[in-house]
Amino acid sequence: MDFQFNFAVDENENGETDADFLLLCSPKDKQESREKSREAADPAADSSPKLAAAKHQDEAASKKKLCVKAAKEHSIPEGLNKVLENKVMETVLDLSYVKLSVVEMTCSGDADSEGIVSKSVSSHSDLIPGVYEGGLKIWECTFDLMDYFSEAEVEFTNKTVLDLGCGAGLLGIVALRGEAARVHFQDYNSTVIDQITLPNVVANCISEGRRMGSGKDTKASKPPSKRPRKAAGSPDVLNRCRFFSGEWSQVSQLLLDSNKPCSKYDIIVTSETIYNPDYYSALHDTLAQLLDRNGCVYLASKVHYFGVGGGIYLFEKFIEEKNVFRTRMVKTIDQGLQRCIMEIAFKNSC
């Protein structure tokens, strides 16, 4: 199989933005920007060391300001065969998934309007902050969480589930197999949703001698299939799904403001999404806004992400300081780089 578990990090930030990015600026920000422009035009303005130092600090803060990627809901095409066209499928734990190396070789032009495939390949990086957030790979904590669902007999029946930072969407697909009432998938990049997540969900919903069941038998029953499949059914399962791309806070706002009724989620699953401490506030707020009062979050992470600084204990400390949620470490995996699974719930929940 083509799984790659090395966490490659490119710390050279790309300052480019495209039409899908919004830079949220307050009137105060705009006024400061105009004042800086006037200072740049007047050499005398920089004559004071104090002013020069202040300008340097402002520039540093500006570079850290994050672009907020607008949220988008992705519709499910009527012709499901189109979704699987030119896709090479493989199987793991009886789940079908798009062969990611083939996507990297064939995805270009309109199929990758964000250009994340070419940028990831050319930079030899699985992470370009603010541009590409790793959804083209399946990370090992995804399998840790799948194992935990089976071991702990996590109940998805009739639950509303959000697969946050879904990538390949395998966690959400497990929830579908567990007879979840609704499953929503979110990833930062629209290319990931269109070229990987949606095809994976469709491939696992098609009629091929099996149906979406309880998913209790997680052992692969046959060798990997590498032939393109024809979509031939299970639209009822797809009707339980919705797909979103964009930054967490924007997706949360889209869901809460949507004309389509969207109740809070009973279960939110997320894997390897806390590698960057800069994202902790947005993630925490999203969980607080979208989780049902008696709901539960299952989060899987490495203990520490070298190069970006995040990790499970740092996020646990962040949660404690916010004083909104309670946390519990439910599993620790010691093979290789230590990994953990954390359960998160509101402090005043049942």
Side-chain angles (χ1 to χ4, degrees):
M1 294 180 194
D2 266 343
F3 298 124
Q4 300 182 30
F5 297 134
N6 294 325
F7 196 87
V9 178
D10 184 353
E11 295 184 343
N12 181 21
E13 290 193 4
N14 190 326
E16 296 178 358
T17 61
D18 57 28
D20 287 333
F21 283 79
L22 301 175
L23 184 58
L24 304 183
C25 298
S26 66
K28 181 180 177 183
D29 291 331
K30 294 177 181 177
Q31 178 64 27
E32 289 176 351
S33 178
R34 285 194 291 267
E35 290 174 356
K36 288 175 193 171
S37 297
R38 285 196 293 269
E39 289 174 3
D42 181 8
D46 290 333
S47 58
S48 165
K50 190 174 182 179
L51 287 174
K55 181 181 178 183
H56 177 74
Q57 290 176 350
D58 288 344
E59 289 175 346
S62 178
K63 286 180 181 178
K64 289 189 70 175
K65 187 175 291 183
L66 295 175
C67 287
V68 179
K69 195 172 195 304
K72 171 186 175 182
E73 179 165 9
H74 297 245
S75 59
I76 301 173
E78 290 185 8
L80 296 183
N81 284 323
K82 190 76 174 176
V83 176
L84 298 180
E85 189 175 50
N86 300 321
K87 295 293 188 292
V88 177
M89 308 303 297
E90 294 192 316
T91 305
V92 62
L93 300 178
D94 204 29
L95 296 178
S96 298
Y97 69 97
V98 174
K99 188 171 184 179
L100 303 177
S101 60
V102 174
V103 173
E104 291 180 347
M105 289 187 294
T106 60
C107 187
S108 61
D110 292 341
D112 182 22
S113 58
E114 298 169 303
I116 64 169
V117 175
S118 59
K119 289 174 184 175
S120 173
V121 172
S122 63
S123 64
H124 304 288
S125 173
D126 292 321
L127 176 63
I128 307 174
V131 177
Y132 162 58
E133 298 291 348
L136 296 173
K137 303 294 180 186
I138 301 177
W139 303 100
E140 59 190 327
C141 286
T142 296
F143 299 102
D144 294 336
L145 207 44
M146 289 167 63
D147 287 342
Y148 177 74
F149 291 158
S150 178
E151 294 165 5
E153 297 184 345
V154 173
E155 184 61 58
F156 291 107
T157 305
N158 297 324
K159 304 289 187 182
T160 58
V161 180
L162 173 63
D163 188 346
L164 196 66
C166 63
L170 298 186
L171 298 176
I173 293 169
V174 169
L176 279 173
R177 286 197 167 189
E179 300 295 341
R182 291 186 296 113
V183 179
H184 294 173
F185 298 83
Q186 177 276 336
D187 195 87
Y188 185 81
N189 293 109
S190 59
T191 297
V192 171
I193 293 292
D194 289 336
Q195 300 299 321
I196 296 176
T197 316
L198 187 51
N200 285 350
V201 174
V202 170
N204 283 281
C205 291
I206 62 177
S207 300
E208 198 182 57
R210 58 180 174 83
R211 61 180 179 84
M212 287 287 186
S214 64
K216 290 182 179 178
D217 181 10
T218 58
K219 293 184 179 180
S221 59
K222 56 185 178 181
S225 169
K226 295 191 177 183
R227 280 184 272 177
R229 296 182 175 185
K230 290 185 178 181
S234 300
D236 56 321
V237 177
L238 288 173
N239 288 337
R240 286 149 49 195
C241 302
R242 291 173 71 184
F243 300 84
F244 302 89
S245 64
E247 192 269 339
W248 290 321
S249 65
Q250 296 295 297
V251 171
S252 179
Q253 183 177 336
L254 176 64
L255 284 166
L256 295 175
D257 296 344
S258 173
N259 291 329
K260 296 181 181 179
C262 180
S263 58
K264 301 294 182 74
Y265 296 100
D266 300 309
I267 298 174
I268 297 178
V269 295
T270 187
S271 173
E272 310 237 28
T273 50
I274 59 171
Y275 50 85
N276 190 337
D278 290 341
Y279 302 158
Y280 285 4
S281 182
L283 176 57
H284 182 278
D285 291 349
T286 298
L287 297 178
Q289 290 169 355
L290 297 182
L291 184 66
D292 183 80
R293 183 54 52 183
N294 293 313
C296 181
V297 179
Y298 294 101
L299 182 150
S301 168
K302 294 182 176 68
V303 168
H304 182 73
Y305 290 92
F306 297 98
V308 278
I312 192 77
Y313 296 119
L314 188 63
F315 188 61
E316 182 182 40
K317 181 180 178 182
F318 183 92
I319 290 177
E320 289 174 357
E321 291 173 351
K322 289 289 186 178
N323 200 33
V324 174
F325 295 108
R326 54 184 167 83
T327 64
R328 181 168 69 101
M329 294 294 181
V330 295
K331 185 176 181 180
T332 300
I333 301 96
D334 291 317
Q335 296 96 329
L337 186 61
Q338 192 178 61
R339 308 181 301 281
C340 295
I341 295 173
M342 178 191 290
E343 185 180 277
I344 305 170
F346 284 108
K347 281 199 164 185
N348 58 351
S349 62
C350 297

